[in-house]
């Protein structure tokens, strides 16, 4: 079977699997988030921490809970990382320096999982399990909670309340993420992902002996992908044979990344009572994903440059068992879902392929985006779309029965403004610093792309690295931590505030004069708005990075 | 508006546009303020380091600001002309104030207070707004409405309001003043059409927020581009960065936004409707329920004869002629319509025979007719009245006809004769409300636009339902009292719907105030005019539908030009980015899809296009995007195609064309 056929079949299998679970998982999540009954252990937990599970929170209260919970998470994680030598299974490794610990803690709590350290040589098993893996669950759960809270904002009628964060958090973690992660981990185990509490000394083919690092990898790997976290147990991430051993494991990991963000569109449709609306959002996401995948696959398989053409594909920095198709499907999925795991070196992608990965993140992680964050990001873009398009049908704009007036558009405008501002200011400052030149792995255009990639990845909470750039200086540790922190929580605060503002409104009935938002026309407009907003903001950075590089390499010749 | 009429208008407003260059004025539009700052900065650069290119950019940036001001000035100018003609009506008048003892004191009109009573006689101008408390007079209101036919104003009832500035043509009335000088209807009208009181509407504010945030994003993008360019080895001059910034920020819509708002109000004024606030115009676009009075709006004011139903043994001609005789002297509209119908059915146009005596309708007999010289008496009237007159019950067949007509919502008039040969019922005339021409089609359009219509009438439910069905309204409110109207409005609003209605009576005032769009008839009482947020000077209730269309048109224009403005940016990037970085990365030349001559000419052309497109769109901003009553989906598809796709494509062509000329300028090309 040739590469093209197997590549297309892999993509078809992935699409088929997602189509299969879309409705059942989406509806299950909707039931979980709207159900009124509490399981016995949940009740016990609420009693233990003193939460009234029946209480409804206002947007402000919900946001305070999210921010406080995340702040505590960061503090605890910093403590674990800096003091890991006092914990069991520390493998005699010292604590992290403060700037790396802060960067890492922020990174995992913001669901970014940017890694400025190498896992196997820096962290003990307890720090990995009790520190990082815990945040892999919780940060993902927070994203889903916020998305559901926004959907409730559309549903509420003059109540102003958007649910109970603590109940949402417990249910998402316990009833959604944990069961699916367990199944994922078991499947990964069957493929040979390790799960142990010790390193192993093995005899190599030539008779020598070698220490192979082990650890509780499978359990962490499943939630790494399922929660669109992306932080690898090993430095090589999913390019490491013990993290991602087979082509099937590779497909499974891609599936897990896309699973929740894709199914949440169904949850959304079911909750608001219009499944076509959910399908329209999914359609817009899928269109963006497919276009990016097509461009990147074309660039990688046709091979840019003489060496790559001779090899038949741009294979530098790729794992041969995944090939160009398996690598580019992974890189598209990981950058489109804000996961940030990698199974190939993005620094070695062709200029076009690397540019596509960059654009996926610049879209604001909405194709389909991170768990929860993808849905709320796309809904915010839908508000922008409806604001302009809605006027063109001769009514003041409304989405799902809620008017988009001054309070709503203010929050949405700040949302669309905040992440690009963080990215651009970050790049501008970093590139102006003389020290940056020394941190770059390449000079010229490619070096510029490395800086652009780093800040885009951090502020959009993706976490994948272009590589090449050395980010262990205090400047990069702190600057990127700030980018991650603002990129995550400024947007979350705005989304929750938007949800509150929507929840205070009385719904407007739908008439023939209402702009229908569940149609192909609206879906296409949504795609255009996402592309236009991204393009207009980032075109200069792209032109000086990947576009200049690609054109110089002769993409169009 | 044609180009030939636009240019003189632009030229006339140029001084006004230049006056608006004051930064304190521009501060209200952040987008245009940024352009103003950019113009200033490039001028400084051009003075410090003069070159053709620098001066060219500086001049065109200033022109961008001026063009924006020009759009606003032209929009305001159209209102000013109207205000001047209104002011002429407000010329100083003296008032004959009545003292408590009945004596008259002549005082200047400006010294009247609310509650004063003034006497106005034929030939005099009403000195202030008020209600007629004594007498009846014909009044010429043409100064305000433009309608030359005089109207009757009388004490009591719903035609008691007089407006300051109008002229009494006959008789003498006593007017109780209801508005203090300076706050009269005329004063408010002048302020409104001049735009002096214009406050930005909620949607305009929301759109400004979006535009401001876009401006901030582009500001950040351009400022951070400086170090990026430095790194790329292609440091950019501030001049070029400012040019890029101005091209990217949404100047087109930023410049036209207030003109669109003013023009929307102006369009209402042109159909003789005055909106007291821009908010009301915006709300009109959102209206989803229309409350329409049956009489005068949906149907002609009066019932008309539509059918003649004969009793057994009576010929059609016999009934027709008798019905005509009974109505010949009857000057009521119903009576005249019976005569018309009879003629239509072939009756001869003869007068009543000599000696015939007309019997008028009275509340007691509830019949009218004639007594002929040959001893026969002919009558028409309600079934029960005719029955009493005949002294016997109606024949069963006639009774069935009476019931059928009533059942269909009509009014049955029984025609009967009594004379030497005995007395008998001849048949029934079917009087019915006639739906105005074109109303049925309008309701179909309204439904397509997603607007529900509710017909309000004092008729009984059966009659009301029949008319409602015929006209095709969505709901009928029968035997409606003002309280019912108010309750209906509250119910609709509780369901999240915006309601529009018209009214003229004092008892309509609470409903007018509660409605989101309340159009008061100018002929109505001052209480009604005070309560509504619009006044229709023509007192034509049908106009409510036009008001809704104008509201929608205003919003569509705003959305369409925003879309166009933002879509323009794509082409501008393709013009400017390659020009900026061609030296550092020659490969970027393949992005120069327009094949613009030189980097300078590319940047200059984009700046010129950016300024000229504002002027080109002024006519659309003033006239409004064409509105058709279509479903939302169809409207969207159409406007996205025209203004979205058009906005993408047009600048590619425009910039290329401009480049052809600009590249001929030495120092740029």
């Amino acid at each position: 079977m040739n590469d093209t056929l197997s590549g297309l079949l892999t993509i078809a299998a992935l699409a088929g699997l997602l189509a299969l679970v879309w409705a059942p998982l989406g509806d299950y999540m909707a039931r979980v988030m709207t159900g009124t009954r509490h399981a016995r252990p949940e009740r016990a937990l609420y009693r233990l921490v003193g939460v009234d599970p029946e209480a409804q929170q206002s947007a402000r209260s919900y946001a305070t809970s999210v921010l406080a919970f995340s702040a505590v998470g960061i503090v605890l994680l910093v403590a674990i990382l800096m003091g890991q030598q006092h914990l069991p299974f520390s493998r005699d490794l010292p604590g992290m320096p403060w700037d790396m610990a802060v960067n890492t803690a922020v990174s995992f709590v913001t669901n970014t999982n940017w890694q400025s350290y190498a896992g196997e040589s820096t962290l003990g098993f307890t720090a990995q399990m009790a520190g990082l893996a815990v945040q892999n669950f919780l940060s993902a759960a927070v994203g889903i909670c916020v998305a559901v809270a926004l959907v409730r904002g559309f549903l509420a009628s003059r109540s102003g309340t958007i649910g109970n964060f603590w109940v949402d958090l417990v249910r998402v973690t316990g009833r959604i993420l944990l069961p699916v992660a367990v199944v994922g981990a078991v499947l990964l185990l069957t493929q040979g992902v390790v799960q142990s509490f010790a390193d192993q000394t093995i005899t190599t083919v030539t008779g020598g002996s070698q220490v192979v690092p082990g650890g509780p990898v499978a359990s962490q790997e499943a939630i790494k992908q399922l929660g669109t976290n992306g932080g690898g147990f090993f430095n090589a991430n999913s390019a490491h044979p013990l993290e991602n051993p087979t082509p099937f494991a590779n497909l499974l990991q891609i599936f897990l990344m896309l699973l929740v963000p894709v199914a949440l569109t169904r949850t959304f449709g079911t909750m608001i009572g219009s499944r076509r609306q959910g399908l329209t959002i999914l359609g817009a996401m899928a269109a963006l994903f497919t276009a990016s995948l097509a461009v990147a696959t074309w660039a990688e398989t046709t091979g840019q440059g003489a060496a790559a053409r001779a090899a038949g594909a741009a294979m530098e920095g790729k794992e041969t068992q995944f090939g160009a198709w398996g690598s580019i499907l992974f890189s598209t999925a990981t950058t489109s879902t804000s996961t940030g795991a990698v199974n190939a070196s993005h620094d070695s992608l062709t200029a076009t392929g690397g540019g596509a990965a960059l654009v996926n993140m610049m879209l604001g992680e909405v194709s389909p985006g991170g768990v929860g964050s993808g849905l709320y990001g796309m809904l915010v873009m839908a508000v922008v779309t409806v604001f302009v398009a809605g006027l063109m049908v001769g009514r003041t704009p409304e989405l799902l029965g809620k008017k988009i007036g001054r309070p709503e558009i203010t929050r949405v405008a700040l949302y669309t403004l905040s992440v690009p501002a963080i990215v651009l200011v970050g790049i501008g400052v970093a590139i102006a610093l003389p020290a940056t030149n020394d941190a770059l792995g390449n000079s010229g255009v490619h070096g510029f792309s490395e800086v652009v990639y780093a800040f885009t990845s951090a502020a959009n909470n993706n976490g994948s690295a272009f590589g090449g750039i050395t980010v262990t200086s205090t400047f990069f540790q702190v600057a990127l931590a700030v980018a991650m922190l603002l990129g995550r929580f400024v947007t979350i605060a705005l989304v929750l505030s938007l949800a509150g503002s929507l929840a205070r409104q009385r719904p407007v009935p739908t008439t023939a004069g209402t702009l229908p938002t569940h149609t192909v026309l609206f879906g296409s407009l949504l795609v255009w708005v996402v592309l236009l907003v991204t393009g207009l903001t980032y075109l200069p950075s792209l032109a000086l990075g990947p576009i200049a590089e690609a054109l110089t390499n002769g993409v169009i010749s | 508006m044609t180009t030939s009429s636009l240019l003189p208008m632009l030229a006339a407003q140029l001084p006004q546009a230049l006056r608006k260059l004051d930064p304190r004025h521009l501060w209200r539009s952040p987008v245009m303020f940024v352009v103003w700052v950019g113009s200033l900065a490039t001028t400084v650069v051009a003075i410090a380091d003069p070159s053709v290119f620098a001066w060219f950019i500086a001049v065109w940036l200033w022109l961008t600001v001026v063009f924006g001001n020009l759009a606003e000035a032209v929009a305001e100018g159209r209102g000013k002309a109207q205000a001047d003609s209104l002011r002429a009506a407000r010329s100083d008048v003296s008032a004959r104030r009545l003292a408590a003892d009945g004596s008259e004191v002549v005082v200047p009109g400006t010294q009247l207070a609310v509650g004063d009573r003034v006497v106005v006689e034929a030939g005099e101008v009403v000195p202030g707004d008020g209600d007629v408390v004594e007498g009846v007079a014909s009044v010429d209101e043409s100064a305000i409405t433009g309608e030359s036919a005089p109207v009757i104003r009388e004490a009591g009832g719903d035609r008691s309001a007089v407006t300051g500035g109008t002229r009494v043509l006959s008789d003498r009335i006593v007017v109780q003043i209801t508005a203090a000088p300076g706050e009269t209807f005329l004063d408010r009208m002048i302020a409104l059409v001049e735009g002096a009181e214009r406050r930005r509407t909620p949607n305009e504010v929301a759109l400004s927020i979006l535009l401001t945030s876009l401006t901030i994003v582009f500001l950040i993008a351009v400022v951070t581009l400086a170090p990026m360019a430095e790194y790329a080895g292609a440091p950019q001059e501030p001049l070029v960065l400012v040019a890029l910034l101005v091209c990217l920020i949404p100047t087109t819509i930023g410049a036209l936004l207030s003109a669109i708002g003013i023009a929307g109000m102006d369009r209402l004024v042109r159909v003789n409707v005055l909106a007291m606030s821009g908010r009301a115009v915006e709300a009109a676009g959102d209206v989803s329920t229309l409350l329409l009075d049956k009489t005068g709006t949906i149907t002609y004011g009066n019932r008309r004869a539509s059918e003649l139903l004969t009793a057994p043994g009576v010929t059609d001609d016999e009934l027709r002629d008798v019905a005509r005789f009974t109505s010949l002297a009857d000057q009521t509209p119903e009576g005249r319509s019976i005569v018309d119908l009879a003629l239509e059915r072939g009756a001869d146009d003869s007068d009543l025979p000599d000696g015939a005596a007309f019997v008028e309708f009275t509340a007691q007999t509830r019949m009218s007719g004639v007594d002929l010289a040959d001893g026969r008496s002919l009558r028409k009237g309600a079934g029960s009245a005719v029955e009493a007159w005949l002294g016997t019950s109606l024949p069963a067949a006639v009774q069935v006809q009476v019931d059928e007509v009533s059942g269909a919502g009509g009014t049955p008039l029984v025609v009967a004769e009594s004379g030497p040969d005995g007395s008998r019922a001849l048949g029934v005339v079917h009087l019915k409300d006639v739906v105005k021409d074109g109303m049925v089609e309008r309701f179909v359009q309204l439904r397509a636009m997603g607007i529900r219509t509710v017909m309000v009438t004092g008729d009984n439910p059966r009659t009301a339902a029949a008319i409602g069905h015929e006209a095709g309204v969505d709901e009928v409110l029968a035997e409606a009292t003002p309280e019912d109207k108010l309750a209906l409005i509250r119910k609709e609003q509780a369901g999240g719907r915006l309601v529009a209605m018209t009214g003229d009576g004092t008892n309509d005032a609470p409903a007018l105030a509660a409605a989101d769009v309340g159009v008061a008839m100018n002929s109505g009482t001052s209480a009604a005019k005070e309560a509504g947020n619009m006044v229709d000077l023509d007192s034509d209730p049908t106009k409510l539908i036009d008001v809704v269309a104008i509201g929608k048109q205003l919003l569509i224009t705003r959305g369409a030009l925003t879309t166009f403005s933002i879509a323009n940016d794509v082409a501008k990037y393709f013009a400017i980015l390659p020009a900026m970085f061609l030296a550092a990365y020659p490969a970027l030349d393949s992005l120069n899809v327009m094949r613009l001559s030189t980097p300078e000419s590319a940047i200059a052309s984009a700046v010129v296009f950016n300024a000229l497109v504002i002027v080109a769109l002024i006519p659309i901003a003033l006239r409004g995007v064409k509105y058709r009553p279509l479903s939302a989906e169809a409207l969207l598809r159409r406007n996205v195609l025209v203004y979205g796709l058009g906005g993408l494509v047009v600048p590619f062509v425009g910039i290329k064309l401009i480049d052809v000329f600009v590249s001929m300028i030495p120092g740029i090309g």
Side-chain angles (χ1 to χ4, degrees), chain A residues 387-388 391-396 403 409-410 413 417 424 440 444-445 448 506 509 511-516 536 540 551-552, chain B residues 203 206-207 209 213 217 224 231 285-286 448-450 494-495 497 552 555-556 559-560 563 569 573 585 587 590 632-633 636 639:
Chain A
F387 187 77
V388 178
L391 284 176
M392 282 198 287
V393 305
R395 283 167 70 99
T396 57
K403 283 279 174 201
I409 203 67
T410 308
L417 171 76
L424 291 173
L440 298 181
V445 202
F448 180 71
R506 189 205 305 275
T511 70
T514 311
L515 171 74
L536 295 182
L551 292 175
T552 308
Chain B
N203 175 259
L207 184 55
I209 290 171
S213 81
V217 170
T224 54
Y231 171 87
D286 275 353
M449 289 155 63
R497 296 185 184 84
K552 286 193 178 293
L555 294 171
I556 292 175
T563 307
D569 278 5
Y573 260 135
Y585 303 116
S590 47
E633 175 89 359
L636 181 64
N639 289 326

Side-chain angles (χ1 to χ4, degrees), chain B residues 89-304:
Chain B
R90 205 183 50 177
S91 57
D92 298 328
V93 289
S94 51
R96 292 158 61 186
R97 190 167 65 193
L98 280 177
D101 60 1
S103 62
E104 281 182 25
V105 190
V106 176
V107 296
T110 49
Q111 283 183 11
L112 290 174
V114 174
D116 282 353
R117 285 163 171 246
V118 294
V119 178
V120 192
E121 275 183 304
E124 292 175 344
V125 172
V126 179
D129 293 0
D131 286 322
V132 180
V133 290
E134 210 181 297
V136 53
S138 61
V139 180
D140 171 13
E141 293 190 338
S142 60
I144 288 175
T145 62
E147 175 63 53
S148 54
V151 293
I152 301 294
R153 292 286 177 255
E154 59 192 342
D158 288 343
R159 290 189 300 171
S160 64
V162 286
T163 312
T166 57
R167 185 176 294 273
V168 172
L169 294 178
S170 69
D171 305 290
R172 172 186 187 273
I173 48 174
V174 176
V175 175
Q176 179 156 12
I177 297 296
T178 54
E183 291 166 22
T184 64
F185 185 64
L186 201 58
D187 291 314
R188 277 194 296 165
M189 248 178 96
I190 291 169
L192 276 169
V193 294
E194 271 191 332
E197 275 181 12
R198 207 181 97 77
R199 288 227 302 271
R200 294 195 301 169
T201 57
N203 175 259
E204 207 177 330
V205 172
L207 184 55
S208 300
I209 290 171
L210 187 70
L211 297 180
T212 305
S213 81
L214 275 176
T215 306
I216 297 172
V217 170
F218 288 129
L219 194 62
I220 295 172
V222 170
V223 168
T224 54
L225 187 55
M228 294 183 200
E230 192 91 23
Y231 171 87
Q236 293 298 318
E237 289 177 41
L239 188 72
V240 172
L241 290 174
V242 170
L244 175 65
L245 175 64
V246 170
C247 285
L248 291 181
I249 60 176
T251 46
T252 315
I253 181 67
L256 296 173
L257 191 56
S258 74
I260 294 169
I262 297 168
M265 298 278 276
D266 190 54
R267 271 198 296 283
L268 269 185
V269 172
R270 271 154 201 265
V271 298
N272 262 350
V273 173
L274 283 185
M276 298 304 162
S277 72
R279 186 186 280 263
V281 186
E282 224 162 62
D286 275 353
V287 159
S288 47
T289 305
L290 279 187
L291 257 57
L292 297 171
D293 279 326
K294 183 201 79 176
T295 309
T297 309
I298 296 173
T299 63
Y300 292 105
N302 309 293
R303 289 167 301 179
R304 289 165 170 234

Side-chain angles (χ1 to χ4, degrees), chain A residues 332-351:
Chain A
T332 304
T334 196
T335 48
S336 297
T337 56
S338 97
T339 306
V342 287
N343 77 347
S345 166
H346 287 191
D347 199 19
S348 298
L349 295 175
T350 61

